[in-house]
Amino acid sequence: QVTAKTAFLFILPQYNVSVPTAEGELVQYHYGLKDLVTILFYIFIAIILHAVVQEYALDKINRRLHLSKVKHSKFNESGQLVAFHLTSVIWCLYVVVTEGYISNPRSLWENYPHVYLPFQVKFFYLCQLAYWLHALPELYFQKVRKEEIPRQLRCIALYLVHIAGAYVLNLTRLGLILLLLQYLAEFFFHMARLVYFTDENNEKLFNVWAVVFVVTRLFTLTLYILVIGFGLPRVENQALEPERGNFFSFLFNNILFRMSVLLLVCLFQASVMWRFIHFQLRRWREYWNEQSSRKRAAAGAKQQAKPLKRDSGYHENGVVKAENGTSPRTKKLKSP
């Protein structure tokens, strides 16, 4: 029985409370230090699943493609992220639909702070934190190249900061929608990379990713303006109460602070869009350069394939004759 209690500490989310509702009591959860133990357990689960996907799917495909070392590393990275983002998109979409966050957008800021979470929301956040923490030791296990490590560390740090910030600051509902939009765009990007590695002439999925990326950026910016600009300032409880999880509502009631936060959000989204536009321009430039080089190569091949012009005259018994019937060859004079 003691062992079972310890096992539950690792496997199941902790800090469950009974919240009275109109239909009776509802079991919900809040966060605490014991969550670190649960996250640790699911870090090991994520490492095992990572190895399974690598060995039984990606390695078998790599043997058939015969990729270079650089493409091999990128293929493994995109393959792992495609599996993770697809799973996360389906799971996150299920959560936001069943909890009514999409059908009722006002629920994103109503009754803030959202201290008590449903089981599936808390478990989703714990698994997300476990996955991105497991990505740190995977940099060593996968023998990632040194020049790739800083980029991947920045990506992991950004995800951890945003997910942990939404979890600790009781902005879990907003965080779920933002993660759904982000993971959707990332799924199409890494899927396009996988298709490109298998067939370098197939870049159609990159165009699909470009459209999805722009649409998700617009939705993200609109959501920030809706929640920060109009939602949180109208929350009834505007007092600072960290012990009750209320960190922001009194700050967002100040128009100067609210506009500053919105300005920072807009600048960040603008920087993301600038990198995206720069990437697209570079890709199109490389595409047109490749097309022009192919045209030049095809034109050169045509010139080499043109038949050589024959000498003037006609042929008779395999011998070229001049117009007057005489041989065009110069006769040798016999020596006297």
Side-chain angles (χ1 to χ4, degrees):
Q1 190 175 6
V2 176
T3 307
K5 291 181 179 179
T6 306
F8 289 149
L9 180 64
F10 283 90
I11 299 173
L12 297 177
Q14 303 299 309
Y15 303 105
N16 56 317
V17 293
S18 297
V19 180
T21 60
E23 300 177 354
E25 291 188 349
L26 181 65
V27 178
Q28 293 191 329
Y29 297 81
H30 60 96
Y31 62 82
L33 292 178
K34 291 182 181 179
D35 291 340
L36 298 176
V37 179
T38 310
I39 291 173
L40 179 63
F41 174 76
Y42 285 101
I43 286 175
F44 293 113
I45 298 297
I47 292 175
I48 295 172
L49 293 176
H50 189 114
V52 169
V53 173
Q54 184 67 43
E55 182 175 355
Y56 291 98
L58 298 179
D59 286 345
K60 291 183 178 180
I61 299 174
N62 273 319
R63 294 191 196 101
R64 297 180 180 180
L65 295 178
H66 303 290
L67 300 174
S68 63
K69 289 185 178 180
V70 176
K71 290 184 178 181
H72 179 84
S73 176
K74 292 182 178 180
F75 184 88
N76 288 337
E77 177 190 357
S78 293
Q80 293 288 347
L81 289 175
V82 160
F84 168 71
H85 285 135
L86 179 61
T87 305
S88 297
V89 165
I90 296 174
W91 189 3
C92 189
L93 183 62
Y94 174 79
V95 172
V96 297
V97 169
T98 54
E99 294 296 331
Y101 299 153
I102 292 182
S103 59
N104 182 22
R106 294 174 62 89
S107 62
L108 298 179
W109 62 81
E110 280 184 342
N111 301 321
Y112 178 83
H114 307 132
V115 179
Y116 298 113
L117 308 175
F119 171 83
Q120 60 181 355
V121 174
K122 175 163 183 172
F123 190 61
F124 177 81
Y125 270 92
L126 294 179
C127 291
Q128 291 294 313
L129 291 170
Y131 178 86
W132 290 109
L133 286 172
H134 112 280
L136 294 173
E138 285 294 343
L139 296 177
Y140 173 77
F141 295 147
Q142 294 292 320
K143 298 179 180 179
V144 178
R145 295 182 300 124
K146 291 183 179 180
E147 55 270 22
E148 288 289 326
I149 290 178
R151 178 185 63 82
Q152 295 200 24
L153 284 177
R154 285 195 300 269
C155 178
I156 294 170
L158 285 173
Y159 274 113
L160 285 175
V161 168
H162 283 82
I163 296 173
Y167 183 65
V168 173
L169 299 177
N170 300 312
L171 293 169
T172 50
R173 299 180 183 182
L174 176 62
L176 281 172
I177 306 296
L178 294 178
L179 278 177
L180 177 61
L181 295 172
Q182 177 65 21
Y183 285 165
L184 186 63
E186 288 292 310
F187 167 74
F188 279 100
F189 173 71
H190 290 287
M191 194 68 197
R193 286 179 73 182
L194 290 181
V195 174
Y196 174 76
F197 289 142
T198 56
D199 182 10
E200 294 187 355
N201 296 322
N202 191 350
E203 297 186 1
K204 295 180 180 179
L205 206 56
F206 277 110
N207 299 327
V208 177
W209 164 71
V211 175
V212 173
F213 182 86
V214 173
V215 172
T216 53
R217 290 304 101 191
L218 292 176
F219 270 105
T220 299
L221 187 59
T222 304
L223 195 61
Y224 271 118
I225 295 174
L226 181 64
V227 175
I228 296 176
F230 300 99
L232 289 177
R234 298 181 181 180
V235 174
E236 295 180 1
N237 187 7
Q238 296 290 342
L240 175 63
E241 297 176 339
E243 66 279 359
R244 296 184 59 185
N246 193 346
F247 299 99
F248 287 117
S249 56
F250 85 103
L251 291 174
F252 288 111
N253 196 31
N254 187 339
I255 188 171
L256 181 61
F257 178 81
R258 188 162 68 245
M259 295 304 295
S260 300
V261 172
L262 288 176
L263 179 61
L264 289 175
V265 169
C266 291
L267 289 176
F268 177 76
Q269 295 298 322
S271 66
V272 172
M273 284 300 299
W274 169 249
R275 289 196 298 270
F276 169 76
I277 293 172
H278 179 72
F279 171 79
Q280 290 296 325
L281 290 175
R282 184 182 62 184
R283 189 169 69 89
W284 288 338
R285 184 167 58 249
E286 292 175 353
Y287 173 77
W288 289 115
N289 290 337
E290 183 180 357
Q291 291 297 320
S292 61
S293 63
R294 286 182 179 179
K295 289 180 180 179
R296 287 195 299 268
K302 286 183 179 179
Q303 290 180 357
Q304 292 179 359
K306 284 183 179 179
L308 298 174
K309 292 184 177 179
R310 298 180 179 271
D311 295 334
S312 60
Y314 65 95
H315 291 73
E316 182 178 334
N317 296 328
V319 179
V320 180
K321 299 292 184 178
E323 296 295 335
N324 56 4
T326 61
S327 175
R329 297 180 181 176
T330 58
K331 296 182 178 181
K332 293 184 180 180
L333 297 175
K334 295 183 179 179
S335 58

mmCIF file of all heavy atoms in Angstrom, residues 100-138:
data_model
loop_
_atom_site.group_PDB
_atom_site.id
_atom_site.type_symbol
_atom_site.label_atom_id
_atom_site.label_comp_id
_atom_site.label_asym_id
_atom_site.label_seq_id
_atom_site.Cartn_x
_atom_site.Cartn_y
_atom_site.Cartn_z
ATOM 1 N N GLY A 100 -14.892 23.448 -24.014
ATOM 2 C CA GLY A 100 -15.697 24.578 -24.466
ATOM 3 C C GLY A 100 -14.940 25.882 -24.621
ATOM 4 O O GLY A 100 -15.565 26.946 -24.654
ATOM 5 N N TYR A 101 -13.608 25.825 -24.767
ATOM 6 C CA TYR A 101 -12.835 27.064 -24.895
ATOM 7 C C TYR A 101 -12.974 27.699 -26.275
ATOM 8 O O TYR A 101 -12.815 28.911 -26.417
ATOM 9 C CB TYR A 101 -11.353 26.795 -24.612
ATOM 10 C CG TYR A 101 -11.086 26.269 -23.216
ATOM 11 C CD1 TYR A 101 -9.973 25.472 -22.951
ATOM 12 C CD2 TYR A 101 -11.950 26.559 -22.165
ATOM 13 C CE1 TYR A 101 -9.724 24.978 -21.674
ATOM 14 C CE2 TYR A 101 -11.717 26.056 -20.896
ATOM 15 C CZ TYR A 101 -10.598 25.272 -20.660
ATOM 16 O OH TYR A 101 -10.355 24.787 -19.399
ATOM 17 N N ILE A 102 -13.275 26.894 -27.296
ATOM 18 C CA ILE A 102 -13.457 27.445 -28.640
ATOM 19 C C ILE A 102 -14.881 27.943 -28.842
ATOM 20 O O ILE A 102 -15.103 29.021 -29.405
ATOM 21 C CB ILE A 102 -13.102 26.378 -29.696
ATOM 22 C CG1 ILE A 102 -11.597 26.069 -29.664
ATOM 23 C CG2 ILE A 102 -13.494 26.853 -31.088
ATOM 24 C CD1 ILE A 102 -11.161 25.059 -30.697
ATOM 25 N N SER A 103 -15.848 27.171 -28.396
ATOM 26 C CA SER A 103 -17.248 27.581 -28.569
ATOM 27 C C SER A 103 -17.598 28.801 -27.717
ATOM 28 O O SER A 103 -18.508 29.560 -28.057
ATOM 29 C CB SER A 103 -18.177 26.415 -28.213
ATOM 30 O OG SER A 103 -17.975 26.001 -26.863
ATOM 31 N N ASN A 104 -16.878 29.008 -26.614
ATOM 32 C CA ASN A 104 -17.131 30.156 -25.733
ATOM 33 C C ASN A 104 -15.817 30.893 -25.483
ATOM 34 O O ASN A 104 -15.134 30.645 -24.486
ATOM 35 C CB ASN A 104 -17.741 29.682 -24.414
ATOM 36 C CG ASN A 104 -18.067 30.850 -23.486
ATOM 37 O OD1 ASN A 104 -18.219 31.987 -23.934
ATOM 38 N ND2 ASN A 104 -18.158 30.568 -22.188
ATOM 39 N N PRO A 105 -15.413 31.807 -26.385
ATOM 40 C CA PRO A 105 -14.132 32.514 -26.208
ATOM 41 C C PRO A 105 -14.053 33.336 -24.926
ATOM 42 O O PRO A 105 -12.957 33.575 -24.419
ATOM 43 C CB PRO A 105 -14.069 33.421 -27.455
ATOM 44 C CG PRO A 105 -14.993 32.799 -28.447
ATOM 45 C CD PRO A 105 -16.081 32.168 -27.640
ATOM 46 N N ARG A 106 -15.184 33.756 -24.397
ATOM 47 C CA ARG A 106 -15.175 34.538 -23.150
ATOM 48 C C ARG A 106 -14.621 33.730 -21.985
ATOM 49 O O ARG A 106 -14.143 34.301 -21.002
ATOM 50 C CB ARG A 106 -16.581 35.026 -22.826
ATOM 51 C CG ARG A 106 -17.143 36.029 -23.834
ATOM 52 C CD ARG A 106 -18.608 36.334 -23.501
ATOM 53 N NE ARG A 106 -18.709 36.949 -22.188
ATOM 54 C CZ ARG A 106 -18.634 38.257 -21.959
ATOM 55 N NH1 ARG A 106 -18.449 39.089 -22.976
ATOM 56 N NH2 ARG A 106 -18.750 38.746 -20.743
ATOM 57 N N SER A 107 -14.664 32.400 -22.091
ATOM 58 C CA SER A 107 -14.142 31.565 -21.007
ATOM 59 C C SER A 107 -12.628 31.679 -20.863
ATOM 60 O O SER A 107 -12.076 31.250 -19.851
ATOM 61 C CB SER A 107 -14.515 30.102 -21.245
ATOM 62 O OG SER A 107 -13.925 29.617 -22.450
ATOM 63 N N LEU A 108 -11.942 32.266 -21.877
ATOM 64 C CA LEU A 108 -10.491 32.420 -21.795
ATOM 65 C C LEU A 108 -10.090 33.412 -20.715
ATOM 66 O O LEU A 108 -8.973 33.338 -20.194
ATOM 67 C CB LEU A 108 -9.925 32.857 -23.147
ATOM 68 C CG LEU A 108 -10.133 31.894 -24.317
ATOM 69 C CD1 LEU A 108 -9.545 32.473 -25.595
ATOM 70 C CD2 LEU A 108 -9.507 30.541 -24.019
ATOM 71 N N TRP A 109 -10.965 34.363 -20.400
ATOM 72 C CA TRP A 109 -10.625 35.339 -19.355
ATOM 73 C C TRP A 109 -11.673 35.423 -18.239
ATOM 74 O O TRP A 109 -11.401 36.007 -17.200
ATOM 75 C CB TRP A 109 -10.436 36.721 -19.981
ATOM 76 C CG TRP A 109 -11.648 37.287 -20.646
ATOM 77 C CD1 TRP A 109 -12.703 37.924 -20.048
ATOM 78 C CD2 TRP A 109 -11.954 37.243 -22.036
ATOM 79 N NE1 TRP A 109 -13.629 38.296 -20.973
ATOM 80 C CE2 TRP A 109 -13.197 37.910 -22.214
ATOM 81 C CE3 TRP A 109 -11.300 36.748 -23.161
ATOM 82 C CZ2 TRP A 109 -13.799 38.062 -23.462
ATOM 83 C CZ3 TRP A 109 -11.884 36.906 -24.398
ATOM 84 C CH2 TRP A 109 -13.120 37.549 -24.551
ATOM 85 N N GLU A 110 -12.839 34.848 -18.450
ATOM 86 C CA GLU A 110 -13.852 34.905 -17.394
ATOM 87 C C GLU A 110 -13.395 34.112 -16.168
ATOM 88 O O GLU A 110 -12.766 33.069 -16.286
ATOM 89 C CB GLU A 110 -15.180 34.360 -17.903
ATOM 90 C CG GLU A 110 -15.964 35.352 -18.743
ATOM 91 C CD GLU A 110 -17.318 34.799 -19.146
ATOM 92 O OE1 GLU A 110 -17.490 33.556 -19.064
ATOM 93 O OE2 GLU A 110 -18.183 35.586 -19.538
ATOM 94 N N ASN A 111 -13.737 34.620 -14.999
ATOM 95 C CA ASN A 111 -13.419 33.978 -13.715
ATOM 96 C C ASN A 111 -11.915 33.793 -13.520
ATOM 97 O O ASN A 111 -11.467 32.837 -12.875
ATOM 98 C CB ASN A 111 -14.108 32.613 -13.591
ATOM 99 C CG ASN A 111 -15.614 32.720 -13.692
ATOM 100 O OD1 ASN A 111 -16.211 33.661 -13.161
ATOM 101 N ND2 ASN A 111 -16.235 31.794 -14.382
ATOM 102 N N TYR A 112 -11.117 34.706 -14.114
ATOM 103 C CA TYR A 112 -9.672 34.649 -13.860
ATOM 104 C C TYR A 112 -9.430 35.035 -12.394
ATOM 105 O O TYR A 112 -10.085 35.938 -11.872
ATOM 106 C CB TYR A 112 -8.933 35.620 -14.785
ATOM 107 C CG TYR A 112 -7.436 35.654 -14.537
ATOM 108 C CD1 TYR A 112 -6.612 34.698 -15.104
ATOM 109 C CD2 TYR A 112 -6.877 36.622 -13.711
ATOM 110 C CE1 TYR A 112 -5.247 34.715 -14.867
ATOM 111 C CE2 TYR A 112 -5.516 36.643 -13.467
ATOM 112 C CZ TYR A 112 -4.711 35.693 -14.043
ATOM 113 O OH TYR A 112 -3.362 35.697 -13.798
ATOM 114 N N PRO A 113 -8.504 34.381 -11.686
ATOM 115 C CA PRO A 113 -7.536 33.369 -12.163
ATOM 116 C C PRO A 113 -8.126 31.964 -12.200
ATOM 117 O O PRO A 113 -8.920 31.600 -11.348
ATOM 118 C CB PRO A 113 -6.425 33.451 -11.127
ATOM 119 C CG PRO A 113 -7.125 33.865 -9.867
ATOM 120 C CD PRO A 113 -8.258 34.781 -10.292
ATOM 121 N N HIS A 114 -7.678 31.200 -13.191
ATOM 122 C CA HIS A 114 -8.137 29.818 -13.349
ATOM 123 C C HIS A 114 -7.205 28.903 -12.555
ATOM 124 O O HIS A 114 -6.365 28.199 -13.107
ATOM 125 C CB HIS A 114 -8.152 29.445 -14.826
ATOM 126 C CG HIS A 114 -8.924 30.415 -15.663
ATOM 127 N ND1 HIS A 114 -8.450 30.944 -16.831
ATOM 128 C CD2 HIS A 114 -10.160 30.968 -15.462
ATOM 129 C CE1 HIS A 114 -9.345 31.777 -17.350
ATOM 130 N NE2 HIS A 114 -10.386 31.813 -16.536
ATOM 131 N N VAL A 115 -7.397 28.938 -11.248
ATOM 132 C CA VAL A 115 -6.504 28.197 -10.351
ATOM 133 C C VAL A 115 -6.754 26.704 -10.453
ATOM 134 O O VAL A 115 -5.820 25.900 -10.460
ATOM 135 C CB VAL A 115 -6.692 28.681 -8.900
ATOM 136 C CG1 VAL A 115 -5.794 27.896 -7.947
ATOM 137 C CG2 VAL A 115 -6.398 30.169 -8.795
ATOM 138 N N TYR A 116 -8.020 26.307 -10.534
ATOM 139 C CA TYR A 116 -8.369 24.890 -10.544
ATOM 140 C C TYR A 116 -8.546 24.423 -11.989
ATOM 141 O O TYR A 116 -9.265 25.049 -12.782
ATOM 142 C CB TYR A 116 -9.644 24.654 -9.745
ATOM 143 C CG TYR A 116 -9.495 25.043 -8.296
ATOM 144 C CD1 TYR A 116 -10.209 26.113 -7.769
ATOM 145 C CD2 TYR A 116 -8.611 24.350 -7.463
ATOM 146 C CE1 TYR A 116 -10.057 26.470 -6.436
ATOM 147 C CE2 TYR A 116 -8.451 24.708 -6.139
ATOM 148 C CZ TYR A 116 -9.175 25.771 -5.633
ATOM 149 O OH TYR A 116 -9.011 26.124 -4.329
ATOM 150 N N LEU A 117 -7.883 23.334 -12.303
ATOM 151 C CA LEU A 117 -7.848 22.821 -13.661
ATOM 152 C C LEU A 117 -8.519 21.457 -13.742
ATOM 153 O O LEU A 117 -8.405 20.649 -12.810
ATOM 154 C CB LEU A 117 -6.394 22.673 -14.140
ATOM 155 C CG LEU A 117 -5.486 23.896 -14.001
ATOM 156 C CD1 LEU A 117 -4.067 23.522 -14.415
ATOM 157 C CD2 LEU A 117 -6.003 25.041 -14.836
ATOM 158 N N PRO A 118 -9.192 21.167 -14.856
ATOM 159 C CA PRO A 118 -9.651 19.790 -15.079
ATOM 160 C C PRO A 118 -8.463 18.843 -15.222
ATOM 161 O O PRO A 118 -7.344 19.272 -15.523
ATOM 162 C CB PRO A 118 -10.444 19.895 -16.394
ATOM 163 C CG PRO A 118 -10.766 21.343 -16.544
ATOM 164 C CD PRO A 118 -9.651 22.095 -15.895
ATOM 165 N N PHE A 119 -8.732 17.570 -15.018
ATOM 166 C CA PHE A 119 -7.656 16.577 -15.078
ATOM 167 C C PHE A 119 -6.926 16.613 -16.418
ATOM 168 O O PHE A 119 -5.690 16.608 -16.469
ATOM 169 C CB PHE A 119 -8.232 15.182 -14.816
ATOM 170 C CG PHE A 119 -7.249 14.070 -15.060
ATOM 171 C CD1 PHE A 119 -6.337 13.704 -14.074
ATOM 172 C CD2 PHE A 119 -7.217 13.393 -16.280
ATOM 173 C CE1 PHE A 119 -5.420 12.681 -14.290
ATOM 174 C CE2 PHE A 119 -6.303 12.377 -16.506
ATOM 175 C CZ PHE A 119 -5.403 12.024 -15.508
ATOM 176 N N GLN A 120 -7.670 16.639 -17.533
ATOM 177 C CA GLN A 120 -7.024 16.555 -18.834
ATOM 178 C C GLN A 120 -6.197 17.795 -19.161
ATOM 179 O O GLN A 120 -5.181 17.710 -19.852
ATOM 180 C CB GLN A 120 -8.067 16.322 -19.919
ATOM 181 C CG GLN A 120 -9.131 17.390 -20.040
ATOM 182 C CD GLN A 120 -10.140 17.060 -21.133
ATOM 183 O OE1 GLN A 120 -9.982 16.079 -21.853
ATOM 184 N NE2 GLN A 120 -11.180 17.873 -21.257
ATOM 185 N N VAL A 121 -6.571 18.949 -18.618
ATOM 186 C CA VAL A 121 -5.781 20.160 -18.857
ATOM 187 C C VAL A 121 -4.462 20.080 -18.096
ATOM 188 O O VAL A 121 -3.388 20.350 -18.651
ATOM 189 C CB VAL A 121 -6.574 21.411 -18.442
ATOM 190 C CG1 VAL A 121 -5.698 22.658 -18.555
ATOM 191 C CG2 VAL A 121 -7.815 21.570 -19.305
ATOM 192 N N LYS A 122 -4.532 19.701 -16.824
ATOM 193 C CA LYS A 122 -3.296 19.604 -16.042
ATOM 194 C C LYS A 122 -2.385 18.516 -16.592
ATOM 195 O O LYS A 122 -1.161 18.725 -16.718
ATOM 196 C CB LYS A 122 -3.611 19.317 -14.580
ATOM 197 C CG LYS A 122 -2.348 19.085 -13.758
ATOM 198 C CD LYS A 122 -2.551 19.198 -12.284
ATOM 199 C CE LYS A 122 -1.205 19.016 -11.573
ATOM 200 N NZ LYS A 122 -1.256 19.299 -10.144
ATOM 201 N N PHE A 123 -2.933 17.370 -16.945
ATOM 202 C CA PHE A 123 -2.108 16.277 -17.459
ATOM 203 C C PHE A 123 -1.456 16.673 -18.783
ATOM 204 O O PHE A 123 -0.314 16.305 -19.055
ATOM 205 C CB PHE A 123 -2.979 15.033 -17.635
ATOM 206 C CG PHE A 123 -2.188 13.792 -17.935
ATOM 207 C CD1 PHE A 123 -1.243 13.320 -17.041
ATOM 208 C CD2 PHE A 123 -2.391 13.099 -19.121
ATOM 209 C CE1 PHE A 123 -0.505 12.167 -17.314
ATOM 210 C CE2 PHE A 123 -1.666 11.956 -19.411
ATOM 211 C CZ PHE A 123 -0.726 11.491 -18.505
ATOM 212 N N PHE A 124 -2.166 17.429 -19.614
ATOM 213 C CA PHE A 124 -1.603 17.899 -20.876
ATOM 214 C C PHE A 124 -0.393 18.797 -20.618
ATOM 215 O O PHE A 124 0.656 18.640 -21.264
ATOM 216 C CB PHE A 124 -2.662 18.657 -21.677
ATOM 217 C CG PHE A 124 -2.156 19.239 -22.963
ATOM 218 C CD1 PHE A 124 -2.039 18.462 -24.100
ATOM 219 C CD2 PHE A 124 -1.775 20.576 -23.043
ATOM 220 C CE1 PHE A 124 -1.572 18.990 -25.289
ATOM 221 C CE2 PHE A 124 -1.299 21.114 -24.223
ATOM 222 C CZ PHE A 124 -1.201 20.324 -25.352
ATOM 223 N N TYR A 125 -0.506 19.704 -19.678
ATOM 224 C CA TYR A 125 0.611 20.608 -19.390
ATOM 225 C C TYR A 125 1.801 19.855 -18.796
ATOM 226 O O TYR A 125 2.954 20.146 -19.135
ATOM 227 C CB TYR A 125 0.155 21.717 -18.436
ATOM 228 C CG TYR A 125 -0.371 22.934 -19.153
ATOM 229 C CD1 TYR A 125 -1.712 23.065 -19.438
ATOM 230 C CD2 TYR A 125 0.477 23.956 -19.561
ATOM 231 C CE1 TYR A 125 -2.209 24.169 -20.106
ATOM 232 C CE2 TYR A 125 0.002 25.069 -20.229
ATOM 233 C CZ TYR A 125 -1.339 25.172 -20.507
ATOM 234 O OH TYR A 125 -1.813 26.265 -21.186
ATOM 235 N N LEU A 126 1.549 18.891 -17.937
ATOM 236 C CA LEU A 126 2.651 18.117 -17.369
ATOM 237 C C LEU A 126 3.389 17.347 -18.453
ATOM 238 O O LEU A 126 4.627 17.284 -18.460
ATOM 239 C CB LEU A 126 2.120 17.160 -16.301
ATOM 240 C CG LEU A 126 1.529 17.795 -15.040
ATOM 241 C CD1 LEU A 126 1.030 16.707 -14.085
ATOM 242 C CD2 LEU A 126 2.545 18.680 -14.338
ATOM 243 N N CYS A 127 2.650 16.759 -19.387
ATOM 244 C CA CYS A 127 3.288 16.006 -20.474
ATOM 245 C C CYS A 127 4.051 16.926 -21.416
ATOM 246 O O CYS A 127 5.118 16.552 -21.928
ATOM 247 C CB CYS A 127 2.236 15.210 -21.239
ATOM 248 S SG CYS A 127 1.521 13.839 -20.304
ATOM 249 N N GLN A 128 3.527 18.121 -21.651
ATOM 250 C CA GLN A 128 4.236 19.074 -22.502
ATOM 251 C C GLN A 128 5.570 19.490 -21.869
ATOM 252 O O GLN A 128 6.612 19.541 -22.536
ATOM 253 C CB GLN A 128 3.371 20.307 -22.748
ATOM 254 C CG GLN A 128 2.160 20.053 -23.607
ATOM 255 C CD GLN A 128 2.528 19.682 -25.036
ATOM 256 O OE1 GLN A 128 3.352 20.331 -25.656
ATOM 257 N NE2 GLN A 128 1.918 18.631 -25.548
ATOM 258 N N LEU A 129 5.555 19.795 -20.590
ATOM 259 C CA LEU A 129 6.791 20.157 -19.901
ATOM 260 C C LEU A 129 7.775 18.990 -19.902
ATOM 261 O O LEU A 129 8.987 19.181 -20.082
ATOM 262 C CB LEU A 129 6.479 20.598 -18.469
ATOM 263 C CG LEU A 129 5.728 21.929 -18.329
ATOM 264 C CD1 LEU A 129 5.278 22.127 -16.885
ATOM 265 C CD2 LEU A 129 6.609 23.097 -18.765
ATOM 266 N N ALA A 130 7.264 17.774 -19.712
ATOM 267 C CA ALA A 130 8.136 16.598 -19.712
ATOM 268 C C ALA A 130 8.778 16.402 -21.071
ATOM 269 O O ALA A 130 9.969 16.074 -21.166
ATOM 270 C CB ALA A 130 7.334 15.362 -19.304
ATOM 271 N N TYR A 131 8.023 16.615 -22.140
ATOM 272 C CA TYR A 131 8.596 16.404 -23.473
ATOM 273 C C TYR A 131 9.728 17.387 -23.756
ATOM 274 O O TYR A 131 10.805 16.990 -24.225
ATOM 275 C CB TYR A 131 7.522 16.536 -24.550
ATOM 276 C CG TYR A 131 8.094 16.359 -25.943
ATOM 277 C CD1 TYR A 131 8.224 15.089 -26.488
ATOM 278 C CD2 TYR A 131 8.548 17.454 -26.689
ATOM 279 C CE1 TYR A 131 8.771 14.904 -27.744
ATOM 280 C CE2 TYR A 131 9.107 17.281 -27.944
ATOM 281 C CZ TYR A 131 9.216 16.015 -28.462
ATOM 282 O OH TYR A 131 9.783 15.841 -29.703
ATOM 283 N N TRP A 132 9.504 18.663 -23.493
ATOM 284 C CA TRP A 132 10.536 19.649 -23.823
ATOM 285 C C TRP A 132 11.725 19.555 -22.879
ATOM 286 O O TRP A 132 12.843 19.906 -23.260
ATOM 287 C CB TRP A 132 9.942 21.053 -23.827
ATOM 288 C CG TRP A 132 9.010 21.247 -24.983
ATOM 289 C CD1 TRP A 132 7.650 21.359 -24.957
ATOM 290 C CD2 TRP A 132 9.387 21.292 -26.367
ATOM 291 N NE1 TRP A 132 7.154 21.479 -26.229
ATOM 292 C CE2 TRP A 132 8.192 21.448 -27.125
ATOM 293 C CE3 TRP A 132 10.599 21.224 -27.046
ATOM 294 C CZ2 TRP A 132 8.194 21.541 -28.500
ATOM 295 C CZ3 TRP A 132 10.607 21.308 -28.433
ATOM 296 C CH2 TRP A 132 9.412 21.469 -29.140
ATOM 297 N N LEU A 133 11.534 19.068 -21.664
ATOM 298 C CA LEU A 133 12.681 18.814 -20.789
ATOM 299 C C LEU A 133 13.457 17.577 -21.251
ATOM 300 O O LEU A 133 14.686 17.544 -21.127
ATOM 301 C CB LEU A 133 12.210 18.641 -19.341
ATOM 302 C CG LEU A 133 11.782 19.923 -18.629
ATOM 303 C CD1 LEU A 133 11.151 19.605 -17.278
ATOM 304 C CD2 LEU A 133 12.976 20.864 -18.437
ATOM 305 N N HIS A 134 12.755 16.590 -21.785
ATOM 306 C CA HIS A 134 13.447 15.393 -22.274
ATOM 307 C C HIS A 134 14.305 15.730 -23.500
ATOM 308 O O HIS A 134 15.254 15.002 -23.816
ATOM 309 C CB HIS A 134 12.426 14.299 -22.619
ATOM 310 C CG HIS A 134 12.318 13.993 -24.066
ATOM 311 N ND1 HIS A 134 11.591 14.784 -24.945
ATOM 312 C CD2 HIS A 134 12.855 12.999 -24.826
ATOM 313 C CE1 HIS A 134 11.688 14.282 -26.162
ATOM 314 N NE2 HIS A 134 12.438 13.200 -26.132
ATOM 315 N N ALA A 135 13.950 16.803 -24.218
ATOM 316 C CA ALA A 135 14.714 17.182 -25.410
ATOM 317 C C ALA A 135 16.140 17.616 -25.065
ATOM 318 O O ALA A 135 17.017 17.573 -25.934
ATOM 319 C CB ALA A 135 13.997 18.307 -26.158
ATOM 320 N N LEU A 136 16.394 18.011 -23.820
ATOM 321 C CA LEU A 136 17.751 18.418 -23.434
ATOM 322 C C LEU A 136 18.718 17.236 -23.430
ATOM 323 O O LEU A 136 19.770 17.307 -24.081
ATOM 324 C CB LEU A 136 17.708 19.114 -22.069
ATOM 325 C CG LEU A 136 16.958 20.458 -22.044
ATOM 326 C CD1 LEU A 136 16.836 20.968 -20.613
ATOM 327 C CD2 LEU A 136 17.664 21.477 -22.920
ATOM 328 N N PRO A 137 18.441 16.132 -22.720
ATOM 329 C CA PRO A 137 19.373 14.988 -22.818
ATOM 330 C C PRO A 137 19.384 14.344 -24.204
ATOM 331 O O PRO A 137 20.387 13.725 -24.583
ATOM 332 C CB PRO A 137 18.850 14.002 -21.760
ATOM 333 C CG PRO A 137 17.444 14.372 -21.522
ATOM 334 C CD PRO A 137 17.392 15.857 -21.720
ATOM 335 N N GLU A 138 18.315 14.518 -24.983
ATOM 336 C CA GLU A 138 18.298 13.944 -26.326
ATOM 337 C C GLU A 138 19.316 14.616 -27.239
ATOM 338 O O GLU A 138 19.752 14.010 -28.225
ATOM 339 C CB GLU A 138 16.900 14.063 -26.945
ATOM 340 C CG GLU A 138 15.887 13.088 -26.392
ATOM 341 C CD GLU A 138 16.217 11.644 -26.728
ATOM 342 O OE1 GLU A 138 17.032 11.405 -27.642
ATOM 343 O OE2 GLU A 138 15.661 10.751 -26.065
#
